[in-house]
């Protein structure tokens, strides 16, 4: 346990600057665009200008969700950037040990503990980064709401709930589902995705050139299995399977992919990757 | 310990924020509405749902209100979406009941019109590859029948002739069993019109006996278009099929625009036993936009709705006799200011109304118009913003969740 925590800490420590950079970029992009959007509308309203004169829509009352919708691109871009970086880092987290200075993987693999601990610590680190970014976005939304209330005079704004703001654009709605059950589904699928990426990387590291083909084939097979219940015709009314059966099959497919991927990953680390 | 400070802070803060969000922050604070009984038997309202929108957010929220409370669509999870798939099939209460009772037999069967059920048999007929080729002379009918007493399933396929000159789409629209014959009513679409055919099969062997074209509808007037429909029989098999032909007057026809105005409705009844198609007394002069039809066994009910009253009329399909406006129920009798719409289901008429900002629903006995139930949509919880929240609620549709008897 102690070694696992040390390894997790090491992985978090290695990524700290990138994580902080992503947070800063998100903060600057979202807050900057929000202030610019709100100020130009407030200023136009204070001057009594019309939509025709300013060239953009001026609502009767401003709300925080309205402000998010109107700063959409600059709100979404840092989120998409963070997602891209984290997906790429799911692979880099392994490769940096091989290709970094003094091939660090040799030292990690020779640690006097089970090798699966290395796998689990890297997975924990990736999940910590993902959930940290989600938590940061939540806190940022609270801060942005306060910023909105500070800039917009009380007479010009209308109140809104926090969830209204956090679900107003599809990307936020997907990242911050208001039902906890949906949170489990969304991030459960995300975790399965990370596990499959890990297994694909380990296949490549184990079999090198041939491993690339194995990795691509394995990833494609996993996507196929996950999607197979839907391919069986969820929306086709004359499908042989009932929706409740397709739901059960989907859960089973996810569980199967997770178990096979984790077991294969552990086995590759233990038997196929040699120092 | 200091070495691990960053990881500990990151982990604890993340967990704390996410837990706080899902404990307090994720509540959407949407108003909760409930259907409550104002008068009559609450059991009559237990199977009713009203659907519509709540307009108090930047995005319109779709919702359903019933006796248990309100269900917002935005609260649905992946599980709700998967389990609610194909709702257009399973929202049909007969289908839902049959799926519950005969799960294996009902697999892959989606056309409600293709079913026939009596005390002994549940039969399903479909056209294999309904989209035929031009000049095709035959299409294949697939018949599956379940013996309800023995649970034995039999299946056969039969070739039936189709009009080879112009027919390009064949669809089963009704199935009836008359003695030892299975009658399959099928429509054949062409570019110009729809014609209906009655195909008779031997019920035991599935052998094709004969096919009759029962409609010869032609439209020569370019300014008039017709919509052909067959009214679904929600009652016991009666040996009758009812056609509704709506006449539409074309107002404009451009490259990118098309508009029309309904100008009348003609009703026809086809008797499987006699093979005769006869027109029901023309209700054209009394029909208005808010007319709702319901075919139940040997009776065709129709309800005319206007802002102030609901008028019930019916035809006896075996005699062709019409009883026009045999019952009229005024909005004031139901303590409503305005009637919005009505729906017919089996032996009930459901009426959606409004009193001020409050949507109301009434259930009437279709045989005599007697009021059995009146319910109103009430706002649950704090009554501070009641008026405002009720104003933002717009309910348009009546959904009946009752399982057929």
């Amino acid at each position: 346990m102690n070694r696992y925590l040390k390894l997790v800490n090491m992985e978090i420590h290695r990524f700290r600057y990138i994580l902080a950079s992503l947070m800063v970029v998100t903060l600057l992009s979202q807050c900057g665009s929000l202030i610019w959007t709100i100020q130009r509308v407030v200023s136009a309203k204070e001057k009594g200008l019309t939509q025709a004169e300013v060239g953009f829509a001026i609502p009767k009352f401003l709300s925080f969700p309205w402000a998010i919708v109107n700063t959409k691109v600059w709100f979404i871009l840092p989120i998409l950037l963070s997602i891209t970086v984290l997906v790429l880092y799911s692979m880099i987290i392994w490769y940096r040990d091989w290709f970094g200075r003094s091939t660090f993987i040799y030292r990690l693999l020779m640690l006097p503990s089970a090798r699966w601990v290395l796998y689990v610590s890297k997975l924990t680190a990736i999940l910590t980064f993902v959930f940290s970014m989600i938590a940061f976005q939540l806190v940022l939304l609270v801060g942005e709401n306060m910023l909105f209330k500070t800039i917009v005079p009380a007479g010009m704004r209308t109140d809104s709930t926090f969830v209204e703001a956090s679900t107003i654009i599809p990307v936020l709605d997907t990242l911050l589902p208001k039902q906890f059950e949906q949170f489990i589904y969304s991030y459960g699928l995300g975790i399965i995705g990370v596990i499959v990426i890990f297994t694909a990387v380990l296949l490549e590291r184990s079999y090198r050139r041939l491993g690339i083909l194995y990795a691509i084939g394995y990833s494609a097979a996993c996507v196929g299995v996950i999607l197979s219940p839907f391919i069986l015709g969820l929306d086709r009314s004359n499908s042989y399977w009932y929706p409740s059966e397709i739901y059960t099959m989907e859960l089973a497919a996810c569980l199967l992919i997770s178990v096979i991927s984790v077991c294969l990953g552990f086995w590759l680390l233990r038997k196929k990757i040699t120092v | 310990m200091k070495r691990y400070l960053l990881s500990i802070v990151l982990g604890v803060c993340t967990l704390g924020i996410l837990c706080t969000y899902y404990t307090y922050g994720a509540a959407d604070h949407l108003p909760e509405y409930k259907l409550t009984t104002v008068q009559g038997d609450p059991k009559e309202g237990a199977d009713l749902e009203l659907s519509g929108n709540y307009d108090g957010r930047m995005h319109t929220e779709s919702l359903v209100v019933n006796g248990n409370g309100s269900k917002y669509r935005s609260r649905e999870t992946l599980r709700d979406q998967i389990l609610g798939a194909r709702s257009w099939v399973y929202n049909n209460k007969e289908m839902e009941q049959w799926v519950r009772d005969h799960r294996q037999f009902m697999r892959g069967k989606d056309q409600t019109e293709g079913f026939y059920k009596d005390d002994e048999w549940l039969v399903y007929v479909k056209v294999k590859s309904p989209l035929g080729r031009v000049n095709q002379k035959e299409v294949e009918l697939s018949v599956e029948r379940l013996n309800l007493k023995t649970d034995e399933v039999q299946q056969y396929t039969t070739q039936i002739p189709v009009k080879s000159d112009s027919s390009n789409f064949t669809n089963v629209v009704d199935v009836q069993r008359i003695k030892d014959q299975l009658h399959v009513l099928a429509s054949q679409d062409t570019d110009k019109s729809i014609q209906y055919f009655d195909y008779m099969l031997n019920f035991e062997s599935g052998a094709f006996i004969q096919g009759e074209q029962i409609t010869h509808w032609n439209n020569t007037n370019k300014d008039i278009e017709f919509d052909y429909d067959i009214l679904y029989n929600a009652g016991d098999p009666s040996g009758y099929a009812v056609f509704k032909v709506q006449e539409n007057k074309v107002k404009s026809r451009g490259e990118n625009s098309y508009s029309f105005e309904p100008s009348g409705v003609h009703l026809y009844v086809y008797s499987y036993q006699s093979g005769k198609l006869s027109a029901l007394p023309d209700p054209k002069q009394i029909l208005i936009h808010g007319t709702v039809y319901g075919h139940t066994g040997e009776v065709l009910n129709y309800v005319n709705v206007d802002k102030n009253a609901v008028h019930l009329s019916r035809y006896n399909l075996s005699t062709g006799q019409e009883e026009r406006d045999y019952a009229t129920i005024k909005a004031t009798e139901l303590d409503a200011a305005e009637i919005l719409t009505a729906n017919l289901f089996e032996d009930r008429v459901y009426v959606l109304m409004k009193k001020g900002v409050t949507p109301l629903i009434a259930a009437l006995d279709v045989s005599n118009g007697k009021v059995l139930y009146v319910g109103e949509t009430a706002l649950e919880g704090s009554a501070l913003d009641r008026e405002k929240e009720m104003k933002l609620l717009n309910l348009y549709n009546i959904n009946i969740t009752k399982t057929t008897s």
Side-chain angles (χ1 to χ4, degrees):
Chain A
M1 189 66 184
N2 198 23
R3 186 142 289 133
Y4 160 73
L5 292 174
K6 278 183 179 170
L7 283 169
V8 173
N9 181 62
M10 183 200 75
E11 293 294 354
I12 291 174
H13 207 255
R14 289 164 104 189
F15 193 68
R16 66 190 187 283
Y17 292 125
I18 302 174
L19 191 68
S21 307
L22 288 176
M23 288 177 176
V24 169
V25 168
T26 308
L27 177 93
L28 293 178
S29 175
Q30 291 187 356
C31 290
S33 58
L34 197 74
I35 293 169
W36 183 76
T37 306
I38 300 166
Q39 270 187 340
R40 70 173 185 160
V41 178
V42 170
S43 153
K45 279 176 87 76
E46 280 170 349
K47 288 175 190 163
L49 298 172
T50 62
Q51 187 172 328
E53 286 167 320
V54 292
F56 52 81
I58 302 175
K60 197 174 172 190
F61 292 104
L62 276 78
S63 69
F64 183 48
W66 175 91
I68 292 177
V69 168
N70 282 274
T71 51
K72 207 149 109 183
V73 174
W74 293 104
F75 222 92
I76 295 170
L77 273 180
I79 297 172
L80 295 181
L81 174 75
S82 305
I83 293 170
T84 311
V85 169
L86 288 170
V87 169
L88 287 176
Y89 194 71
S90 301
M91 286 185 266
I92 296 168
I93 198 169
W94 288 100
Y95 284 115
R96 70 183 294 179
D97 291 336
W98 262 278
F99 300 117
R101 274 174 296 176
S102 66
T103 50
F104 190 61
I105 191 72
Y106 295 154
R107 288 164 65 189
L108 289 176
L109 292 175
M110 284 192 292
L111 287 174
S113 61
R115 285 185 178 179
W116 62 262
V117 175
L118 185 62
Y119 183 104
V120 177
S121 64
K122 285 187 189 295
L123 183 64
T124 311
I126 292 287
L127 298 186
T128 308
F129 303 147
V130 171
F131 291 125
S132 300
M133 285 305 296
I134 297 296
F136 178 73
Q137 181 63 75
L138 276 169
V139 173
L140 200 55
L141 277 173
V142 175
E144 285 162 356
N145 195 8
M146 286 158 70
L147 200 65
F148 171 82
K149 285 182 177 167
T150 312
I151 299 171
V152 183
M156 279 189 202
R157 64 171 192 252
T158 176
D159 285 339
S160 59
T161 61
F162 184 74
V163 166
E164 213 183 331
S166 70
T167 54
I168 195 75
I169 49 177
V171 69
L172 276 182
D173 193 23
T174 309
L175 289 173
L176 300 167
K178 60 183 175 183
Q179 305 293 335
F180 185 68
E181 185 184 337
Q182 185 59 38
F183 178 87
I184 301 285
Y185 294 135
S186 302
Y187 289 96
L189 275 174
I191 292 168
I192 293 170
V194 174
I195 292 171
V196 170
I197 290 174
F198 276 18
T199 310
V201 169
L202 291 173
L203 277 168
E204 189 278 327
R205 287 290 84 199
S206 303
Y207 299 97
R208 303 297 160 128
R209 278 185 189 170
L210 201 58
I212 297 174
L213 286 179
Y214 290 163
I216 293 170
Y218 181 75
S219 306
C222 288
V223 172
V225 172
I226 296 267
L227 293 179
S228 60
F230 294 104
I231 296 165
L232 287 171
L234 180 66
D235 286 325
R236 225 179 46 234
S237 56
N238 61 354
S239 163
Y240 181 82
W241 302 101
Y242 289 112
S244 56
E245 294 167 343
I246 291 179
Y247 174 69
T248 312
M249 278 189 252
E250 189 58 51
L251 290 184
C254 290
L255 192 68
L256 189 76
I257 293 292
S258 314
V259 172
I260 290 177
S261 298
V262 168
C263 291
L264 184 60
F266 285 0
W267 180 78
L268 289 169
L269 259 181
R270 199 172 67 243
K271 299 280 184 193
K272 287 288 167 188
I273 291 173
T274 53
V275 178
Chain B
M1 195 67 183
K2 204 178 164 187
R3 274 168 60 189
Y4 304 117
L5 193 66
L6 174 69
S7 302
I8 293 167
V9 169
L10 206 59
V12 170
C13 288
T14 300
L15 199 66
I17 292 165
L18 289 177
C19 287
T20 310
Y21 178 64
Y22 281 104
T23 311
Y24 305 107
D28 53 21
H29 303 288
L30 287 165
E32 300 294 340
Y33 302 97
K34 194 176 179 179
L35 198 59
T36 54
T37 306
V38 175
Q39 72 171 79
D41 184 0
K43 277 185 195 162
E44 291 285 339
D47 305 311
L48 292 176
E49 279 184 355
L50 299 174
S51 60
N53 298 322
Y54 170 70
D55 296 324
R57 294 284 187 269
M58 204 169 153
H59 285 175
T60 297
E61 297 272 353
S62 309
L63 86 160
V64 166
V65 180
N66 58 28
N68 297 324
S70 39
K71 286 185 276 182
Y72 284 90
R73 196 159 180 197
S74 62
R75 288 177 185 165
E76 283 183 357
T77 63
L78 183 71
R79 179 169 54 107
D80 300 320
Q81 284 164 13
I82 293 179
L83 297 182
R86 300 183 215 153
S87 55
W88 66 93
V89 178
Y90 301 121
N91 276 0
N92 180 301
K93 295 301 138 189
E94 253 180 339
M95 292 282 276
E96 193 189 340
Q97 183 68 46
W98 293 341
V99 167
R100 209 175 298 142
D101 296 343
H102 318 289
R103 195 171 173 84
Q104 202 56 30
F105 178 78
M106 290 297 291
R107 284 186 185 279
K109 297 181 173 64
D110 61 332
Q111 301 294 320
T112 46
E113 302 85 0
F115 283 96
Y116 166 82
K117 185 179 176 288
D118 58 26
D119 294 340
E120 200 181 351
W121 296 99
L122 178 60
V123 182
Y124 183 67
V125 184
K126 71 170 181 184
V127 176
K128 282 194 167 179
S129 62
L131 190 59
R133 294 181 299 274
V134 175
N135 294 332
Q136 189 178 10
K137 289 183 179 167
E138 286 185 327
V139 293
E140 199 172 47
L141 274 187
S142 158
V143 180
E144 275 183 81
R145 55 179 212 170
L146 169 75
N147 187 315
L148 298 171
K149 287 171 184 157
T150 62
D151 273 343
E152 193 187 343
V153 177
Q154 286 169 310
Q155 192 175 8
Y156 43 75
T157 53
T158 305
Q159 301 287 332
I160 55 162
V162 290
K163 277 187 79 122
S164 58
D165 52 347
S166 54
S167 153
N168 54 23
F169 193 86
T170 307
N171 221 2
V172 174
V173 294
D174 192 29
V175 180
Q176 291 285 321
R177 181 190 167 202
I178 308 288
K179 294 174 185 166
D180 58 349
Q181 287 182 350
L182 189 70
H183 288 250
V184 179
L185 196 63
S187 66
Q188 287 179 23
D189 294 25
T190 66
D191 292 339
K192 289 173 189 166
S193 69
I194 297 176
Q195 302 299 346
Y196 291 87
F197 296 76
D198 182 6
Y199 294 102
M200 283 156 254
L201 314 180
N202 183 302
F203 188 66
E204 287 305 319
S205 66
F208 173 68
I209 301 168
Q210 65 171 17
E212 293 286 338
Q213 181 171 348
I214 59 171
T215 60
H216 299 272
W217 289 322
N218 260 329
N219 180 17
T220 48
N221 189 343
K222 279 185 178 178
D223 295 330
I224 300 285
E225 291 195 348
F226 292 96
D227 274 343
Y228 304 98
D229 199 6
I230 184 157
L231 299 178
Y232 183 74
N233 180 6
D236 294 332
S238 61
Y240 295 102
V242 181
F243 296 97
K244 188 184 117 197
V245 181
Q246 184 166 314
E247 199 179 291
N248 298 318
K249 193 173 182 183
V250 179
K251 287 172 79 182
S252 71
R253 201 196 308 255
E255 249 181 53
N256 300 314
S257 68
Y258 173 76
S259 68
F260 65 85
E261 185 178 62
S263 50
V265 169
H266 307 279
L267 297 166
Y268 298 91
V269 59
Y270 174 68
S271 164
Y272 287 97
Q273 238 157 1
S274 67
K276 276 186 186 167
L277 179 77
S278 40
L280 288 170
D282 196 350
K284 192 172 165 180
Q285 68 274 25
I286 59 151
L287 288 177
I288 49 171
H289 291 305
T291 306
V292 186
Y293 299 90
H295 175 193
T296 311
E298 289 199 354
V299 180
L300 173 71
N301 294 293
Y302 67 90
V303 181
N304 283 327
V305 181
D306 61 43
K307 274 171 75 172
N308 303 314
V310 176
H311 310 274
L312 309 185
S313 307
R314 67 186 160 210
Y315 288 104
N316 183 318
L317 296 178
S318 57
T319 61
Q321 196 188 349
E322 184 191 13
E323 281 181 80
R324 189 175 290 181
D325 294 344
Y326 66 86
T328 295
I329 301 95
K330 288 181 183 161
T332 47
E333 289 174 51
L334 300 165
D335 199 22
E338 183 189 359
I339 292 173
L340 303 175
T341 183
N343 204 347
L344 268 162
F345 184 75
E346 292 186 338
D347 53 355
R348 295 284 181 271
V349 183
Y350 298 101
V351 187
L352 180 63
M353 308 162 290
K354 214 156 192 187
K355 181 186 179 185
V357 290
T358 308
L360 302 170
I361 184 161
L364 316 176
D365 186 334
V366 76
S367 62
N368 53 19
K370 189 181 165 194
V371 182
L372 302 172
Y373 165 84
V374 178
E376 71 167 16
T377 310
L379 181 70
E380 290 192 285
S382 159
L384 270 178
D385 292 332
R386 191 190 170 277
E387 188 78 6
K388 184 188 149 203
E389 297 291 24
M390 291 305 291
K391 251 185 203 169
L392 295 166
L393 176 69
N394 292 299
L395 298 173
Y396 315 107
N397 301 310
I398 306 164
N399 311 326
I400 299 122
T401 59
K402 181 164 74 176
T403 304
T404 50
S405 49

